[in-house]
Each structure stands twice: as structure tokens, then as C-alpha cells.
Amino acid sequence: MNINMQITPFSLLMSVIWSSALAIFNYFCRKKHFFIRQVGITNILFLYLFSIVRMIIPYEFSFTRVIPSGEAFSNLCRDTSIHKIGANQISLFSVLSAIWLIVSATLIIRFFYQYVKTSRELSAYSIRGDEQCQRMINRILNTDRKKLNIDVRRSEQIDIPMGVGIFRKSIFLPNEEYSASQLYYILRHEYTHFKNEDLIIKVLIHIYWCIFWWNPVIYLIKRDLAQILEIKCDLDVTANMDSLEKAQYLTTIVTMLKNAGAKKSALAFLGTTAFVSKKHNSQTIERFKIVSNSDGCKRKNFLFSGSWFLIFTMLIFLSYSFVIRPDYEIPLDGGTTNAVMSDNTIGSRYTVKCVGDIYYVYFRTN
């Protein structure tokens, strides 16, 4: 079956609306711990990815139905695309598109520049971990089927343990003294991030934010996805722990947070997996609550989660079933356009041709 696809400003607008609505809906559901227990944190992550996919595939298909918009929206589209501004007589739509592309390209270039620059600085101003670090990482490798090549280093440039690197994986520790249990939990946490490919997800989400920086919902998605990755990592690390071990793990988080707060400055870094967050105490409290009640997260309701996925899938298909457009087609280049008149009693088709500031309307009847 031949399915025609096209991207228009109106299909892009619909993708923004639907993606934002799905993300906000998922966010408020995710904040309920009952929802996490019933659906599972991994499934919630996939539901977020559904909304992201809807945003990056803004197509109209052959089955997409066009719904005429009201007069206000039609006039706004006309003014944005046809009316010219400036000495060069450029449409506002062209100006906004140029700003979008320039800012997106700048943000992406800056991100990769900072990523490479800070990675080199961390490697240059760090030392390899001591025998205790190597012993602990070997202990983790011996108990895991997926053995990763990870370098453990200490640095004065950071105040929080973090994982860095997609290809050359490294765990960086602040140059402090750690007990055996603290060091084990920190390395286990960061190792689990690498095993789950969380750094790749964080980098892709940041690039996604760079492209759609103008959508305020993207900031919500970016922040909450980072929290979901931390919760998922916590649950993976503590999956087989008893109550005492969980208490020690959570105590380690508190200790690292206090040590980080006592330091005045540290190297800022994007695209990492930090052990704790100094900026958002509410997120740390949420991690505590979920880990403390993690036994309930193991008993997911498959009927409930399956129904939720079905609802999301149906909403995705519904979002492609229609698109809202003006009553007539907007000529983005100020040239010729064809459209169907909104007055069904006339039933005529017409062509609008713009010559300078004068518009000529040519009617034809079939």
C-alpha cells in the first residue's frame, strides 16, 4: 500500500501539541508512586520516548484528515507567511525558521565543544584510582555478566562522583576518603548507569533539547528523564539488597550530598551521570522514598501497564488521523496557492496570485 507522507508547518504544530500533551500527562502520572509500582520505571521511560518520537516524526499521511481552523488562526497563518518585513521583504515565517536553525546549531556545537573540552580537562587533572578502587571495581565485575572496561579516577575538579564517556568509559571520584561500603555503592551505581547505556540516552535527550529549545515542555522532559534514569539505576542497584543494605546505600547518597555542599566550586559538566544532585533536593527525597518502598515496585501489574501502553499507542495513532489547517493553503513564498473556499454554497476553487503587494484571485468552476 502506498502511503504518502509530507511535513508541513501545520503537521509540525500538531506534533508539538500532541508531544507536549503526552509528556505532561505522563509526567503527572509518573509523580504518583502508585503509578511507578503498577507500571514500572522502565515502562514509564518508554512512555516518555513515545512522546519524543511523536515530536521527531511530524508527518501528514494519506489518511490524515484536514480540519479547517477558525478565522483567527487562518489570519495568523496568513500574516506570518505572506506579509513581508524588513528592507529585504522577508516573511516572518522565514525569519522564525532561520532563528530556530541558527540557535539549534549553536546549542549543539556548544554542547559537543564543552563535552570534549571538559572530558580532556578531567582526564588531564585526575589520577588513577588506588588499589581500593581497583579492588571494588573488580568485585563488581565478578558479580556481573556484562563486564565493561571502566577506568576509575580521582579528581579535585569535581565535587560529586560521576560517570563520563560513551566510548571511553570512566568513573570520576572526588579526591576524598571513602569507606569500603561507600566506595562499593558509588562504583556500583555508576557502573549500572554504564550498563544501562544511560549516558547515551542523556546525550540524545540533550541534543533533542538543543533542536526543540523553543518548546518549554522540553525542559520538563529533560529534567524528569534525568530523574527517571536515576530512579531506575537506584532500583537496579538495590534490587537484591536487604533493608540494612538499602539504608547504607541511602546514607552514602546523603554523605556525598553533604560533602558536595561543603565545596565552593567545581567543574560544571553536561552529559554525565552524577551520583547525586545538589540543585534539586526534592529529587533526592523522591529517590529515598522509592528505594525505601522498592519491594512494591517488583510486583508490577501487567494488565494495568499493558492497558496504559495500549492507551498511549491509540493516542499516537489518533494524533496522526487529523491536522488543523486554515480554510485555504498558505503560500510560504508569496507565490501561487490553490485552496478550497470555505463557502460550501459556492463550491468553487480559486487561485491566489501575489504580484508585489496586490493579490489577484482567479475563480474557476468545475
Side-chain angles (χ1 to χ4, degrees):
M1 183 175 69
N2 185 21
I3 300 179
N4 296 323
M5 299 185 300
Q6 63 174 341
I7 298 178
T8 67
F10 309 105
S11 65
L12 178 60
L13 176 62
M14 293 298 296
S15 71
V16 172
I17 294 174
W18 275 101
S19 175
S20 301
L22 290 172
I24 293 173
F25 182 59
N26 195 47
Y27 170 79
F28 283 106
C29 291
R30 204 282 297 167
K31 298 299 286 186
K32 306 294 182 182
H33 292 173
F34 165 81
F35 190 76
I36 295 178
R37 291 194 299 270
Q38 295 294 315
V39 178
I41 196 67
T42 302
N43 292 333
I44 293 175
L45 176 63
F46 277 109
L47 291 176
Y48 258 125
L49 295 180
F50 272 28
S51 65
I52 293 175
V53 168
R54 181 60 183 93
M55 183 70 187
I56 61 180
I57 308 180
Y59 284 101
E60 288 183 29
F61 296 92
S62 56
F63 58 81
T64 303
R65 180 182 178 185
V66 177
I67 298 179
S69 65
E71 182 180 355
F73 181 72
S74 299
N75 292 338
L76 176 63
C77 294
R78 181 196 61 203
D79 294 340
T80 302
S81 58
I82 295 179
H83 289 181
K84 309 297 182 178
I85 60 175
N88 295 326
Q89 291 294 289
I90 303 175
S91 68
L92 181 59
F93 178 83
S94 299
V95 173
L96 294 176
S97 299
I99 293 174
W100 176 13
L101 294 176
I102 292 172
V103 175
S104 297
T106 302
L107 291 173
I108 293 174
I109 293 172
R110 188 183 69 172
F111 167 68
F112 281 107
Y113 172 77
Q114 291 178 340
Y115 190 94
V116 173
K117 179 174 179 282
T118 313
S119 297
R120 290 177 178 176
E121 289 181 0
L122 277 174
S123 299
Y125 297 102
S126 64
I127 58 175
R128 288 188 176 275
D130 52 23
E131 293 183 3
Q132 185 187 24
C133 293
Q134 192 59 47
R135 186 166 58 252
M136 287 298 173
I137 199 68
N138 288 336
R139 175 184 168 187
I140 294 171
L141 290 173
N142 291 333
T143 58
D144 196 272
R145 293 181 179 178
K146 187 177 181 180
K147 302 185 186 307
L148 304 176
N149 184 18
I150 297 178
D151 188 23
V152 181
R153 306 183 70 87
R154 292 176 177 265
S155 175
E156 295 284 356
Q157 303 294 315
I158 61 174
D159 56 2
I160 294 174
M162 62 178 61
V164 180
I166 295 177
F167 302 105
R168 186 178 178 181
K169 301 175 175 59
S170 300
I171 298 175
F172 287 89
L173 305 173
N175 199 11
E176 303 170 358
E177 295 295 329
Y178 303 95
S179 67
S181 61
Q182 287 176 341
L183 187 59
Y184 173 77
Y185 292 136
I186 292 170
L187 294 179
R188 184 80 201 184
H189 180 94
E190 298 305 324
Y191 180 89
T192 303
H193 273 308
F194 282 118
K195 186 174 69 173
N196 293 340
E197 306 291 356
D198 290 343
L199 269 77
I200 296 177
I201 296 175
K202 294 194 74 170
V203 169
L204 292 177
I205 292 301
H206 192 83
I207 295 175
Y208 176 71
W209 169 82
C210 291
I211 296 174
F212 300 103
W213 54 269
W214 40 266
N215 184 1
V217 178
I218 301 299
Y219 294 80
L220 175 68
I221 295 175
K222 184 182 176 214
R223 176 180 169 180
D224 201 51
L225 275 175
Q227 176 71 349
I228 288 176
L229 293 177
E230 291 301 325
I231 293 173
K232 183 177 181 300
C233 185
D234 289 336
L235 293 177
D236 288 344
V237 172
T238 60
N240 299 316
M241 290 184 182
D242 56 30
S243 299
L244 179 59
E245 290 174 321
K246 289 180 182 179
Q248 292 175 341
Y249 176 78
L250 295 175
T251 302
T252 302
I253 293 179
V254 174
T255 303
M256 294 301 103
L257 195 58
K258 288 182 177 179
N259 293 344
K263 295 184 178 181
K264 294 182 179 180
S265 62
L267 189 66
F269 196 77
L270 296 173
T272 65
T273 54
F275 188 64
V276 291
S277 173
K278 295 193 299 181
K279 296 181 179 180
H280 308 292
N281 291 332
S282 60
Q283 293 183 346
T284 303
I285 294 173
E286 183 183 33
R287 290 171 62 185
F288 270 59
K289 291 180 178 179
I290 293 176
V291 171
S292 300
N293 300 294
S294 58
D295 290 338
C297 298
K298 298 177 182 179
R299 299 186 294 271
K300 292 187 286 291
N301 188 326
F302 292 100
L303 178 61
F304 184 86
S305 59
S307 300
W308 208 257
F309 266 98
L310 179 61
I311 291 173
F312 252 71
T313 303
M314 292 176 63
L315 288 175
I316 292 292
F317 279 106
L318 176 65
S319 69
Y320 285 108
S321 65
F322 68 93
V323 63
I324 299 176
R325 284 193 180 190
D327 295 337
Y328 48 86
E329 190 173 322
I330 301 296
L332 298 180
D333 57 355
T336 302
T337 182
N338 296 323
V340 180
M341 294 187 67
S342 59
D343 188 352
N344 294 328
T345 61
I346 298 177
S348 301
R349 293 183 62 86
Y350 62 83
T351 300
V352 179
K353 186 174 183 180
C354 177
V355 179
D357 294 329
I358 302 176
Y359 295 88
Y360 297 91
V361 181
Y362 300 92
F363 291 93
R364 68 179 186 274
T365 58
N366 296 326

